[in-house]
Amino acid sequence: MTDPISSHRDGEVLVVVSNNPPVNALGQAVRAGLQREIAAGLADDAVKAIVIRCDGRTFFAGADITEFGKPPQGPSLPETLDAMEASDKPVVAAIHGTALGGGCEVALACHYRVAVPSAKLGLPEVKLGLIPGAAGTQRMPRLVGAEAALPLVVGGDPISAKKAESIGLVDAIVSEDNLEADAVAFARSKIDQPVPRASEGTKNEDGVRNPAIFDDFRRSQARKIRGFDAPNAAIEAVKAAGELPYAEGVKKERELFMKLMTGTQSAAMRHYFFAERAANKIDDVPADTPLIPINKVGIIGAGTMGGGIAMNFLSAGIAVTILEMQQDALDRGTKTMRRNYENTAKRGRMTDEAVEKAMGLLSPTLNYDELADCDLVIEAVYENMDVKKQVFAKLDEVVKQGAILASNTSYLNIDEIATATKRPGYVLGLHFFSPANVMKLLEIVRGKETRDDVLATCMKLAKTIGKVAAVSGVCPGFIGNRMLSPRQQQANALIMEGANYWDIDDVLLEFGFPMGPFQMGDLAGTDIGWHRDPSRIETIRDALCARGRFGQKAGKGYYDYDEARNRTPSDETKQIIADFAAKEGKPQREISKDEIRERLLYPMVNEGAKILDEKMAQRASDIDVVWINGYGWPLYTGGPMFWADTIGLKTVVEGLEKHDLPVSDLLRRKADAGEKFNR
Ligand code: 3HC
């Protein structure tokens, strides 16, 4: 293996360069090389200052995550950085790309930081269930203050070079194309001056003067950090930076870091980091498959779904033609899109110019012919096979050859839809999740005839529009809804057997889901798909609708709602359920939360195993990606399949058997062999 670290001289400045593609992760060879070159620079009297920079697309993007969980190999990052910071010769970090995690900690241990305008800096360790582990939680508050450090360390989102400069994290912004020379000039200007060390900074005193900032920040993030261990540890570490001398603060950080590193949450979140990247790869489609250029997208249907889908492309600067059958529906859809953008602008998350730019890329039409020159058309019409087939036959007629035709169906057979066209190779499913401009998941459904270039193009496009993609084969409900179905069946069965419906929601909330199935029913409206005949009561939902319990919009559904839409269990609903169960001859019993949890979640794992066995998902981790991004499965458990691995597949099988629920062949085989879904 070639040495990733080299150095060269520019007069009295030593330039240390890392070349460790793709992201200059700080693996053992990088740490050893840095330590070696810096020691050489410090020992050489002719060297008066040091610049550290990286080749390739980015400054160090963090510790090498693939080394986590393996026996540590020296030198450690903290010891490498301490030796560097101790230098009396100025050391300057020259930053481009993303200085993240350990990379940001390298920059913090340098005496100065210069960055190009496009650079970003951040401490995203919390997103891996960790906190910074190379004194980042101690140097950062001392350099920029606890108040400015909290969002960086606890939130984990990177900030721009400009913002970093405004809080004192970056000393100078240099020209985009002249980083090394500008950094060398900066370093030269600091020769023979006393060096400022972040570890000796005093800005952290803001947290001592006003200790309320920590609890205030925790409260402000309560919803976001619910269930996660790392953000609370991060707050504790930043607080310690004000309360303890530096060396003790570092010790405290290490303790917190090691506890997180050996816990299940971080293992789960590291699994997810690699799962998301793996999901982007299709095993039998070569990475260099030529892509189809997508410059114009057609959307059929300007309702909530079509409009949301369109916004993804508009926001990414791709022109959209949106088609409706009636002028008023088209106008309504266009207006909603504009209002959504304007609301985003009002919240400061978009400029007015960006709103106009996005809306300027939209062409509303009532005429199919205007879709002729689209490179991709996505239909988001009514979920009915005949309707979909008609739409695809029409598209096949009017849209140019070589264009991709996609359905947003959530469960219909893509192969059957493709038969309505003479180009089945260009047909696939692009299943967006509502609200489509917000939800991260895009399930890409691969038909039996879908061409490689069509798939590869859509995978790339998903990234362009900021989605996380996972490929599913053709089966009812694909990966996501197929696994939702047994959970819903169990939820319905449980309330018929006497379980409290609020216990079912609470079990899922306690597990980490944002909401349970009955809350979801109320939010969506219990009357969706209702036959509108109050005398015809075939389900509990029919009975709720017959009493006007249509959900949140009516102030009552499964739950009663107050003005602020807070839910309370309803006696009327409980009676409705009891009466319905009695009518069906279902005996009632008390059902524990443990039974509820097992009966809701284990059948999902079982369905996941069937999906894997039938090769409807490429890998178990793809299933985790779908459920985390599309259905609110808590990230800190790693997704249903990783979670099942964590609790043991034998436990899942025993649980299913205990409740007389089916066990699939693959699940049983793996449990018997002591195997896991994820290696
Ligand atoms: N370690 C090991 N591999 C890494 C890595 C890391 N820190 N960061 C990225 N990679 C790998 C990815 O797995 C991917 O590999 P693949 O091509 O085989 O799938 C490859 O590098 C490219 O990554 P992306 O596909 O994510 O490339 P992007 O250009 O989309 O994004 C990035 C680049 C913004 C740097 C993104 O990769 C990222 O966010 N990386 C993680 C950053 C991070 O979390 N750093 C903190 C690490 S923990 C730490 O530093 C602890 C310290 O405090 C001690």
Side-chain angles (χ1 to χ4, degrees), residues 203-218:
K203 290 271 191 64
N204 52 337
E205 282 166 11
D206 64 341
V208 181
R209 279 193 305 272
N210 182 12
I213 58 172
F214 300 102
D215 282 342
D216 289 351
F217 188 78
R218 198 192 313 273

Side-chain angles (χ1 to χ4, degrees), residues 170-447:
V170 158
D171 298 288
I173 297 196
V174 297
S175 78
E176 193 75 50
D177 312 316
N178 212 24
L179 177 59
E180 181 173 318
D182 284 356
V184 167
F186 183 94
R188 207 167 266 137
S189 74
K190 302 295 179 190
I191 288 173
D192 290 337
Q193 292 183 24
V195 294
R197 296 187 177 92
S199 64
E200 293 168 0
T202 54
K203 290 271 191 64
N204 52 337
E205 282 166 11
D206 64 341
V208 181
R209 279 193 305 272
N210 182 12
I213 58 172
F214 300 102
D215 282 342
D216 289 351
F217 188 78
R218 198 192 313 273
R219 261 193 301 278
S220 73
Q221 301 297 303
R223 253 177 71 120
K224 235 169 124 184
I225 66 179
R226 184 175 76 94
F228 288 88
D229 293 338
N232 282 311
I235 295 174
E236 209 182 318
V238 176
K239 194 159 182 240
E243 292 168 344
L244 300 175
Y246 178 72
E248 283 181 43
V250 169
K251 243 168 83 187
K252 174 86 189 170
E253 176 193 273
R254 183 108 302 247
E255 273 165 29
L256 292 165
F257 177 84
M258 288 315 294
K259 190 161 170 229
L260 292 167
M261 179 65 105
T262 49
T264 49
Q265 288 205 353
S266 177
M269 291 167 79
R270 281 165 7 229
H271 157 75
Y272 176 74
F273 177 84
F274 290 112
E276 185 180 314
R277 281 148 185 88
N280 217 27
K281 300 179 178 86
I282 310 174
D283 285 341
D284 58 344
V285 175
D288 58 355
T289 302
L291 303 181
I292 301 167
I294 305 289
N295 298 313
K296 189 172 171 192
V297 173
I299 311 274
I300 305 185
T304 313
M305 204 64 205
I309 295 173
M311 288 175 73
N312 286 296
F313 295 99
L314 298 173
S315 301
I318 300 172
V320 171
T321 300
I322 194 158
L323 176 106
E324 257 297 350
M325 296 299 100
Q326 306 292 336
Q327 188 66 47
D328 58 341
L330 190 61
D331 292 345
R332 228 180 5 255
T334 314
K335 239 186 178 159
T336 306
M337 276 187 258
R338 173 169 282 283
R339 199 181 51 238
N340 286 342
Y341 275 132
E342 285 174 351
N343 284 340
T344 309
K346 262 190 219 141
R347 274 183 252 122
R349 290 204 257 122
M350 200 175 179
T351 62
D352 293 341
E353 297 80 70
V355 173
E356 292 315 316
K357 190 167 163 240
M359 288 308 289
L361 288 166
L362 181 68
S363 311
T365 184
L366 298 173
N367 183 356
Y368 260 95
D369 292 338
E370 293 195 19
L371 300 174
D373 63 343
C374 287
D375 305 300
L376 161 70
V377 180
I378 306 170
E379 66 73 20
V381 303
Y382 185 58
E383 284 280 76
N384 171 289
M385 182 55 86
D386 293 338
V387 176
K388 301 264 185 202
K389 278 177 149 175
Q390 277 166 25
V391 168
F392 270 75
K394 180 77 185 160
L395 286 176
D396 196 31
E397 234 171 69
V398 300
V399 182
K400 69 180 180 190
Q401 285 306 310
I404 302 172
L405 306 181
S407 172
N408 177 52
T409 180
S410 54
Y411 65 91
L412 294 174
N413 187 321
I414 294 292
D415 292 331
E416 191 180 339
I417 294 176
T419 61
T421 74
K422 289 189 225 50
R423 56 173 113 173
Y426 286 88
V427 175
L428 84 172
L430 291 180
H431 180 204
F432 289 80
F433 289 71
S434 192
N437 52 324
V438 177
M439 294 293 285
K440 291 292 268 180
L441 180 65
L442 179 60
E443 233 179 359
I444 298 190
V445 187
R446 180 183 197 172

Side-chain angles (χ1 to χ4, degrees), residues 430-511:
L430 291 180
H431 180 204
F432 289 80
F433 289 71
S434 192
N437 52 324
V438 177
M439 294 293 285
K440 291 292 268 180
L441 180 65
L442 179 60
E443 233 179 359
I444 298 190
V445 187
R446 180 183 197 172
K448 65 175 189 288
E449 308 249 9
T450 308
R451 292 162 53 109
D452 285 0
D453 56 352
V454 168
L455 266 178
T457 298
C458 290
M459 294 306 277
K460 173 78 193 336
L461 195 60
K463 244 190 153 177
T464 308
I465 61 173
K467 297 286 180 216
V468 174
V471 177
S472 171
V474 177
C475 58
F478 314 124
I479 296 173
N481 282 344
R482 179 167 165 184
M483 283 170 68
L484 182 62
S485 169
R487 190 183 89 179
Q488 194 61 45
Q489 273 168 20
Q490 284 304 310
N492 292 338
L494 279 160
I495 57 172
M496 288 292 280
E497 292 167 38
N500 294 319
Y501 64 89
W502 58 90
D503 279 347
I504 292 175
D505 285 341
D506 287 350
V507 160
L508 291 180
L509 279 175
E510 283 156 19
F511 187 75

Side-chain angles (χ1 to χ4, degrees), residues 22-23 25 57-58 61-66 68 77 98 100-103 105 124-125 128 130-134 254 257 273-274 277-278 281 463:
V23 298
R57 65 199 222 213
T58 179
D64 185 338
I65 306 168
T66 59
F68 291 1
L77 191 56
T98 43
L100 299 179
E105 290 172 300
E125 283 88 342
L128 297 170
L130 296 169
I131 60 169
R254 183 108 302 247
F257 177 84
F273 177 84
F274 290 112
R277 281 148 185 88
K281 300 179 178 86
K463 244 190 153 177

